[in-house]
């Protein structure tokens, strides 16, 4: 009987040790699970906070919309040749929720019937430097003036003439075909938000034709009777560009990179140490 009791004590002692070991192992597993769950919860909370902060930043962005309000051209004798200029007044309006800083405005005429060696449609850049505005607060607007010189105006007229000839042929042979456009006016605006990120706004207009500012009385019902082309620009003439409606002018807004902005503006720095300094301070 005595030996039996001692055997039972040994079993109870070993069993207690096993229970203690199992209990310890269970506590370790529970602790690991708890720590992992807590860590996941902490990471989720952090990601949620970052997402909210990012969304708040996205919601508070500047957005500049450019649009043309007027155009004016003229031709005059310079003894050696007839000089021509065609200018556009571009209104910039910040329709976003925060200020835009370092605002650059560029304009090009995109030719539809001329391509470069890579097969891309050629661009005629506006003369002078890009328009520059230091800052534009939310809901603020300002005017920028850009213009094209004689060589660009002559090429534009040539493109418009080609489009006119193609459209007459289209009306004669295939009137259901979509009409040809001679050129596009493309306006690009680069600006920074308060976080230092670059944004780009782009809008493009079809240039239908040029028209005399003070045309002679129309003698027929032909709408092209006083348009340029087919009419020529003469010394002393004043004219304007007839653009497509604002309602069908595509507008694009996107975030962009420092490199893209530098690559675009770099072509203007050779003639402008001032712009080189601005690029160095604001783009790098």
């Amino acid at each position: 009987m005595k030996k039996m009791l001692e055997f039972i004590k040994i079993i109870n002692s070993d069993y207690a040790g096993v229970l203690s070991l199992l209990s310890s192992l269970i506590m370790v597993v529970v602790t690991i699970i708890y720590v992992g769950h807590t860590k996941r919860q902490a990471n989720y909370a952090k990601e949620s906070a970052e997402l909210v902060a990012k969304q708040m930043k996205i919601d508070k962005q500047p957005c500049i919309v450019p649009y043309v309000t007027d155009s004016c051209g003229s031709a005059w004798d310079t003894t050696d040749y007839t000089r021509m200029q065609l200018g556009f007044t571009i209104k910039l309006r910040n329709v976003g929720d925060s200020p835009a800083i370092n605002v650059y405005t560029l304009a090009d005429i995109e030719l539809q019937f001329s391509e470069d060696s890579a097969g891309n449609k050629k661009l005629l850049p506006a003369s002078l430097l890009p328009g520059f505005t230091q800052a534009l607060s939310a809901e603020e607007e300002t005017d920028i003036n850009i213009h094209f010189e004689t060589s660009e105006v002559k090429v534009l007229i040539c493109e418009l003439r080609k489009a006119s000839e193609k459209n007459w042929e289209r009306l004669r042979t295939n009137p259901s075909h979509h009409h040809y456009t001679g050129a596009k006016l493309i306006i690009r605006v680069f600006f920074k938000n308060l976080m230092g990120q670059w944004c780009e706004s782009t809008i493009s207009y079809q240039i239908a034709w040029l028209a005399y500012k003070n045309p002679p009385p129309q003698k027929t019902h032909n709408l092209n009777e006083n348009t340029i082309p087919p009419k020529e620009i003469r010394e002393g003439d004043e004219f304007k560009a007839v653009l497509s409606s604002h309602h069908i002018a595509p507008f694009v807004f996107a975030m962009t990179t420092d490199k893209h902005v530098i690559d675009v503006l770099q072509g203007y720095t050779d003639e402008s140490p001032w712009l080189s300094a601005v690029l160095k301070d604001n783009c790098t």
Side-chain angles (χ1 to χ4, degrees), residues 60-62 94 96-101 135-138 191-194:
K60 296 292 183 181
Q61 289 283 2
N94 184 359
D97 300 316
S98 65
I101 57 177
L136 207 60
S137 61
F191 53 95
K192 275 186 175 181
N193 60 23
L194 293 181

Side-chain angles (χ1 to χ4, degrees), residues 172-222:
R172 188 180 66 83
T173 60
N174 188 11
S176 61
H177 189 278
H178 192 271
H179 75 283
Y180 294 95
T181 57
K184 290 182 180 179
L185 176 66
I186 300 176
I187 301 166
R188 291 183 292 170
V189 184
F190 296 103
F191 53 95
K192 275 186 175 181
N193 60 23
L194 293 181
M195 294 178 288
Q197 298 170 313
W198 281 102
C199 309
E200 179 179 0
S201 292
T202 305
I203 194 168
S204 60
Y205 295 88
Q206 294 180 2
I207 303 178
W209 56 71
L210 304 181
Y212 294 118
K213 273 294 184 74
N214 299 299
Q218 211 165 309
K219 299 178 181 179
T220 70
H221 295 292
N222 182 3

Side-chain angles (χ1 to χ4, degrees), residues 48-246:
S48 298
E50 291 176 348
L51 183 62
V52 170
K54 183 178 180 180
Q55 188 61 46
M56 289 178 65
K57 290 179 180 179
I58 291 174
D59 291 342
K60 296 292 183 181
Q61 289 283 2
C63 180
I64 294 180
V65 178
Y67 54 96
V68 175
T69 58
D70 192 20
S71 71
C72 183
S74 59
W76 68 95
D77 185 23
T78 62
T79 304
D80 295 332
Y81 68 101
T82 299
R83 183 177 180 182
M84 291 180 282
Q85 287 184 325
L86 176 61
F88 295 89
T89 301
I90 302 169
K91 187 173 290 294
L92 306 178
R93 185 178 183 186
N94 184 359
V95 300
D97 300 316
S98 65
I101 57 177
N102 298 326
V103 183
Y104 295 92
T105 304
L106 298 86
D108 301 277
I109 292 177
E110 182 185 79
L111 307 179
Q112 302 302 295
F113 306 114
S114 301
E115 297 180 346
D116 60 19
S117 57
N120 301 313
K121 293 178 180 178
K122 284 188 177 180
L123 296 177
L124 301 176
S127 302
L128 302 180
L129 298 171
F132 179 74
T133 302
Q134 288 183 333
L136 207 60
S137 61
E139 296 302 320
E140 186 181 1
E141 57 185 32
T142 189
D143 287 339
I144 295 290
N145 295 298
I146 58 99
H147 79 273
F148 297 87
E149 283 286 347
T150 306
S151 58
E152 290 83 19
V153 176
K154 286 183 175 180
V155 173
L156 171 60
I157 293 172
C158 181
E159 287 285 299
L160 295 176
R161 182 174 290 109
K162 290 178 182 178
S164 177
E165 292 170 353
K166 284 180 173 291
N167 279 318
W168 280 113
E169 180 65 17
R170 174 186 64 85
L171 291 173
R172 188 180 66 83
T173 60
N174 188 11
S176 61
H177 189 278
H178 192 271
H179 75 283
Y180 294 95
T181 57
K184 290 182 180 179
L185 176 66
I186 300 176
I187 301 166
R188 291 183 292 170
V189 184
F190 296 103
F191 53 95
K192 275 186 175 181
N193 60 23
L194 293 181
M195 294 178 288
Q197 298 170 313
W198 281 102
C199 309
E200 179 179 0
S201 292
T202 305
I203 194 168
S204 60
Y205 295 88
Q206 294 180 2
I207 303 178
W209 56 71
L210 304 181
Y212 294 118
K213 273 294 184 74
N214 299 299
Q218 211 165 309
K219 299 178 181 179
T220 70
H221 295 292
N222 182 3
L223 296 177
N224 298 114
E225 183 177 343
N226 290 318
T227 62
I228 309 166
K231 295 292 185 179
E232 301 286 342
I233 293 178
R234 302 172 302 275
E235 179 188 346
D237 284 342
E238 293 187 351
F239 52 93
K240 62 181 180 179
V242 179
L243 304 178
S244 60
S245 169
H246 291 282

